Amino acid sequence: MLAVSEVSLKVREGEIFTIMGLSGSGKSTLVRCLNRLIEPTNGSILLDGEDICLKSSQELRDIRRTKIAMVFQNFALLPHKSILENVEFGLKLRGEVKESRREKAGMALERVGLSNWSDRYPDNLSGGMKQRVGLARALANDPDILLMDEPFSALDPLIRADLQAELIKLQCDIKKTIIFITHDFHEAVKLSDQVAVMRDGKFVQMGTPEEIILHPGNEYVENFSREMDRSKVITAKDVAQTGATPLYADMAADSVLKRMKKTGKQFAILVDSDKKPLGYIFRGDLENSTELEMKVGADFQRQDEEVISVSSSTIVGNLYFQLSQQLPLAISDDKGHVVGTMDANDVMTHLSQAGQYTNIRNSAHAFSTDGQISGESHLTINCFDKVVSS
Amino acid sequence: MNRLPDEYILPIADIFQNIVNWLVDEWRPVFQTLRWPIAQVLDAVSDLMNSLPFWLVILFFLIVGWRTAGIRNGVFCGVSFVLIAFMGLWDEAMDSLSILITAVTFCVVVGVPIGILAGRSNKFWAVLRPVLDVMQTTPSFVYLVPVVMLFGIGTVPGVIATIVFSMPPVIRLTNLGLRQVPAEAIEAGESFGATEWQALINIRLPLALPSIMTGVNQTLLMAMVMSVIISMIGAEGLGLSVLRGIGALDVGQAGIGGLAIVLLAISLDRITQGLGEKSKQAHHELKPRSLLGRFRAARTGASDSPASMQ
């Protein structure tokens, strides 16, 4: 029987790669294979190009002491050691002198906001605090890679949300490569740069959270993504009506009206020759006018309304207020050029369509379980298996 | 009588006899060597115990009992030793105490490493377990026969018999303690690159300590029992005064001997139990607790319970 089979992935430096799966899917086995707490049966694990599987036990110990640290579901703190001693445990194992390990442990505790608790014992702490200590212990080692095995699963929902937010905040600061294991699809989507959905020891889909929610690869993944609030992952760019020629201010009014009738829109955004947003055109104004051969910008541009312009990477879920104004939003790229427009109707249409895997069978959004991620990979796991008896 | 005719009786007694004879003849130097360290330690401990003024010993047990098992047990220990002194059994009690200290020391020094090996190796445990079973089911009297044959009579052979008789609990409970260390604690150590030795010192032994202390307590009680029985092979101590009392049909002497043994046993049991409890609770409270802090906590009834700190 295979606990993990034919799994390949590449993780880039500084990204959070989440392996999401239900219990028994092999995710915990997989993560333990990465630091060889469980020996993989075959395959390779490349860390900065070197295969961990080929290391001697001494080399492996050095890797565990300096490069890979782990955070556990049940915290796995040592009850007979104080919080500070727990945090400095990894440093003590690698033989650092007392002063330097105290200092590093103190800094790690400060990061997780538990400086005042350093003399207490794990039994004095709540679950959330214990896991902060677990995180501090891993961070004190200053590893390149953090393996987090369902770190927040044993916590209450509110504490979990707190710690998730804190991990995101911390990650901005520390930029570790994190392999995160969870059974919670929401958590996976919230935290990760890449998500792999695992089932029966295999990856069923791998991609960014957006890809997985918007384009689930099969019914299994769709069952998870259906529950998700898609507006929290889709960006303005996904929804925006793009591709059409923008409406320039020097176009004739009648051709603009024709365009608007064709698309059925009541409002449009005018741009200047540099694609910067100028103002709104109301279809009513054009229809009530008889002088349609004039340039549209001169007579019909509304002066009283400022165009609302948002970045193309803005999450749609954060734009509800702006969308409630009825007027379309200008979607602009980094340079401020308008690349498209979007109104509430577009969002509704998009949300109602996306996320059904049948819709994308033939679409260009192909998914792959082999994780072809461009860019330099930091950790690579090639097609490796873990066989378990029985 | 339901007895097989003599010609059917297997010569097992002869076999035993021959084995012991052979051991005595061939292995005598080995047994004499084994005897040596035990004799040294026993002499040293016994000299110390007998040279200390009795008020100092009483004060020592009062304080040790108090610090390990609370003020009530401390007072109990102190009163017990005062009673023993006033029963005129002080020297015998100190002899018994020396035997116990020596025997328990050797049991711990030898038994804990054996228990660690057993806890780390299923094969070793599979071999050791029946041996321990035999050791524990063998009646205490039976130990005396080979001990007398191999080591002679007197206090030192008595201590040897006591060591052999009372070692199994500490081995068993060390083994058990090591096997009960939570897997996640071991895994955490492994994931941070602990060597086998580092894991033993930093994780396994500290977490197994409560169990090991229970083992030491049990071993001490076994040694207590044996220290009385070895009076039959000439070992000194409280047991001897009981034996003499019985021999002379002097109920009074046997009675006070027995009472002194009980007082000594309860005192030592409380102290070692207290140590075991302490090792369990060590991480539940704030560690460096001053003497004054203890008094204050006891007076106000306030405790550093985990719940109050959430």
Side-chain angles (χ1 to χ4, degrees):
Chain A
M1 189 190 144
L2 293 170
V4 175
S5 113
E6 293 178 25
V7 168
S8 295
L9 61 130
K10 285 181 179 169
V11 185
R12 273 172 300 189
E13 193 159 353
E15 83 175 359
I16 301 184
F17 189 103
T18 299
I19 297 161
M20 183 265 154
L22 301 183
S23 53
S25 61
K27 57 194 191 303
S28 284
T29 309
L30 173 59
V31 78
R32 277 167 178 70
C33 285
L34 298 187
N35 61 355
R36 280 174 64 193
L37 284 177
I38 296 174
E39 287 288 340
T41 321
N42 68 60
S44 63
I45 300 160
L46 303 178
L47 172 59
D48 295 327
E50 287 187 58
D51 192 347
I52 294 176
C53 293
L54 301 177
K55 299 288 182 190
S56 70
S57 60
Q58 179 59 48
E59 288 169 320
L60 178 63
R61 208 150 43 226
D62 286 342
I63 288 174
R64 286 175 180 170
R65 284 177 178 180
T66 55
K67 292 192 170 170
I68 303 180
M70 198 161 176
V71 179
F72 297 88
Q73 179 176 8
N74 299 320
F75 325 127
L77 301 180
L78 301 176
H80 60 286
K81 288 183 185 287
S82 74
I83 300 305
L84 189 70
E85 286 167 341
N86 264 290
V87 174
E88 66 172 17
F89 183 59
L91 301 167
K92 191 179 169 190
L93 290 181
R94 68 185 191 209
E96 282 201 24
V97 294
K98 196 166 182 178
E99 292 79 39
S100 97
R101 67 177 196 242
R102 280 281 140 99
E103 194 191 321
K104 286 179 186 173
M107 270 156 52
L109 269 180
E110 205 172 275
R111 258 191 204 289
V112 299
L114 286 180
S115 299
N116 295 335
W117 295 77
S118 55
D119 294 331
R120 299 297 181 89
Y121 282 79
D123 283 358
N124 303 143
L125 267 59
S126 66
M129 291 165 112
K130 283 183 192 168
Q131 196 54 290
R132 282 167 200 259
V133 177
L135 187 58
R137 175 173 65 180
L139 291 178
N141 266 23
D142 195 25
D144 300 340
I145 294 175
L146 269 180
L147 303 178
M148 306 184 81
D149 181 22
E150 301 209 36
F152 306 146
S153 300
L155 306 175
D156 298 339
L158 288 178
I159 308 280
R160 192 185 310 160
D162 268 3
L163 279 174
Q164 287 167 349
E166 201 159 311
L167 180 67
I168 294 171
K169 211 173 81 194
L170 235 132
Q171 174 67 351
C172 294
D173 228 18
I174 56 177
K175 294 258 181 281
K176 299 284 179 203
T177 305
I178 298 178
I179 312 286
F180 194 98
I181 306 292
T182 183
H183 62 246
D184 181 350
F185 193 71
H186 289 75
E187 188 169 73
V189 166
K190 194 169 168 186
L191 297 176
S192 348
D193 298 304
Q194 294 283 326
V195 181
V197 181
M198 201 168 178
R199 185 193 192 185
D200 298 336
K202 293 182 177 169
F203 281 2
V204 290
Q205 188 173 1
M206 177 147 69
T208 60
E210 292 85 343
E211 277 165 29
I212 284 183
I213 291 172
L214 301 179
H215 313 292
N218 56 29
E219 267 171 280
Y220 184 71
V221 182
E222 196 207 344
N223 284 336
F224 292 111
S225 64
R226 195 187 297 140
E227 303 293 316
M228 285 299 302
D229 180 357
R230 290 189 192 94
S231 69
K232 285 188 178 146
V233 292
I234 55 178
T235 57
K237 186 178 62 205
D238 296 325
V239 178
Q241 306 279 330
T242 54
T245 331
L247 299 174
Y248 291 107
D250 57 1
M251 288 169 87
D254 59 348
S255 66
V256 172
L257 179 59
K258 228 178 274 170
R259 280 267 300 277
M260 290 177 81
K261 277 180 174 165
K262 205 166 120 196
T263 53
K265 300 280 183 195
Q266 291 297 325
F267 312 102
I269 293 172
L270 273 190
V271 298
D272 63 14
S273 56
D274 200 24
K275 290 197 182 174
K276 296 273 194 278
L278 284 174
Y280 288 110
I281 299 289
F282 286 15
R283 183 160 136 193
D285 294 349
L286 293 173
E287 281 169 339
N288 293 336
S289 166
T290 50
E291 300 171 55
L292 288 175
E293 53 285 346
M294 304 294 289
K295 280 184 180 171
V296 70
D299 290 337
F300 299 105
Q301 184 188 328
R302 284 281 174 140
Q303 303 298 331
D304 48 346
E305 299 276 359
E306 189 86 3
V307 174
I308 306 166
S309 182
V310 296
S311 153
S312 61
S313 58
T314 314
I315 300 289
V316 170
N318 299 336
L319 292 174
Y320 287 160
F321 175 74
Q322 289 88 331
L323 287 164
S324 69
Q325 313 286 310
Q326 295 297 322
L327 293 168
L329 310 181
I331 312 299
S332 47
D333 60 15
D334 327 337
K335 291 169 200 135
H337 300 310
V338 174
V339 294
T341 63
M342 152 177 112
D343 60 22
N345 201 23
D346 296 331
V347 174
M348 290 306 154
T349 313
H350 192 93
L351 288 179
S352 67
Q353 283 170 358
Q356 288 154 17
Y357 83 98
T358 44
N359 287 356
I360 56 111
R361 279 226 169 114
N362 302 315
S363 84
H365 291 280
F367 68 92
S368 145
T369 59
D370 270 346
Q372 300 300 329
I373 301 164
S374 58
E376 203 175 328
S377 64
H378 185 216
L379 184 67
T380 309
I381 291 105
N382 284 322
C383 192
F384 87 112
D385 298 337
K386 169 63 194 172
V387 181
V388 291
S389 47
S390 92
Chain B
M1 291 291 257
N2 291 323
R3 189 190 147 97
L4 282 173
D6 278 350
E7 58 267 33
Y8 291 105
I9 302 293
L10 294 172
I12 294 172
D14 294 342
I15 294 173
F16 270 121
Q17 180 79 53
N18 289 334
I19 289 175
V20 173
N21 283 346
W22 174 77
L23 281 174
V24 171
D25 289 343
E26 303 290 326
W27 291 81
R28 191 173 168 77
V30 174
F31 289 112
Q32 290 308 307
T33 319
L34 277 178
R35 194 192 151 108
W36 186 81
I38 294 166
Q40 297 303 307
V41 174
L42 180 68
D43 280 352
V45 175
S46 161
D47 283 354
L48 178 72
M49 297 310 293
N50 285 313
S51 65
L52 289 175
F54 72 90
W55 59 266
L56 193 63
V57 178
I58 291 168
L59 199 65
F60 175 79
F61 277 94
L62 186 108
I63 290 172
V64 169
W66 168 34
R67 295 311 300 238
T68 55
I71 188 71
R72 281 166 71 173
N73 288 315
V75 170
F76 180 88
C77 291
V79 170
S80 298
F81 278 84
V82 170
L83 274 177
I84 290 171
F86 278 95
M87 285 189 290
L89 291 171
W90 187 259
D91 287 344
E92 287 85 345
M94 287 306 105
D95 286 337
S96 278
L97 205 53
S98 310
I99 292 173
L100 285 176
I101 291 171
T102 309
V104 171
T105 305
F106 275 93
C107 283
V108 170
V109 167
V110 178
V112 169
I114 292 178
I116 291 171
L117 282 180
R120 302 291 298 121
S121 156
N122 285 331
K123 276 183 193 160
F124 183 58
W125 178 233
V127 176
L128 188 65
R129 209 176 143 178
V131 176
L132 293 181
D133 288 343
V134 170
M135 281 170 82
Q136 284 191 294
T137 47
T138 306
S140 42
F141 284 124
V142 178
Y143 282 96
L144 299 180
V145 181
V147 165
V148 170
M149 298 295 289
L150 298 172
F151 297 98
I153 59 167
T155 308
V156 175
V159 172
I160 293 170
T162 308
I163 293 170
V164 176
F165 179 75
S166 52
M167 198 174 320
V170 73
I171 297 179
R172 273 185 198 279
L173 282 148
T174 302
N175 165 67
L176 182 72
L178 282 177
R179 285 173 190 268
Q180 281 176 342
V181 173
E184 63 247 37
I186 307 279
E187 199 179 40
E190 223 182 320
S191 78
F192 282 97
T195 60
E196 185 74 5
W197 178 252
Q198 285 175 323
L200 185 69
I201 295 300
N202 289 298
I203 301 171
R204 290 182 204 273
L205 278 185
L207 292 181
L209 195 59
S211 177
I212 295 175
M213 287 312 295
T214 308
V216 171
N217 175 262
Q218 294 297 304
T219 285
L220 181 88
L221 294 182
M222 300 271 285
M224 201 74 221
V225 170
M226 197 61 183
S227 75
V228 177
I229 291 167
I230 54 169
S231 63
M232 287 193 287
I233 60 168
E236 293 159 331
L238 291 167
L240 199 59
S241 71
V242 177
L243 194 71
R244 283 199 188 121
I246 295 169
L249 285 178
D250 183 345
V251 178
Q253 199 197 355
I256 55 166
L259 184 61
I261 290 167
V262 170
L263 290 174
L264 192 61
I266 295 178
S267 299
L268 295 178
D269 176 49
R270 292 285 157 83
I271 290 172
T272 47
Q273 262 190 35
L275 282 174
E277 286 296 312
K278 255 194 148 48
S279 65
K280 255 177 243 166
Q281 285 172 355
H283 43 270
H284 289 282
E285 53 183 283
L286 292 169
K287 208 197 217 159
R289 227 169 147 196
S290 64
L291 202 61
L292 199 67
R294 266 172 196 279
F295 277 122
R296 206 176 293 136
R299 211 183 54 219
T300 58
S303 66
D304 302 320
S305 72
S308 65
M309 285 192 227
Q310 295 286 317

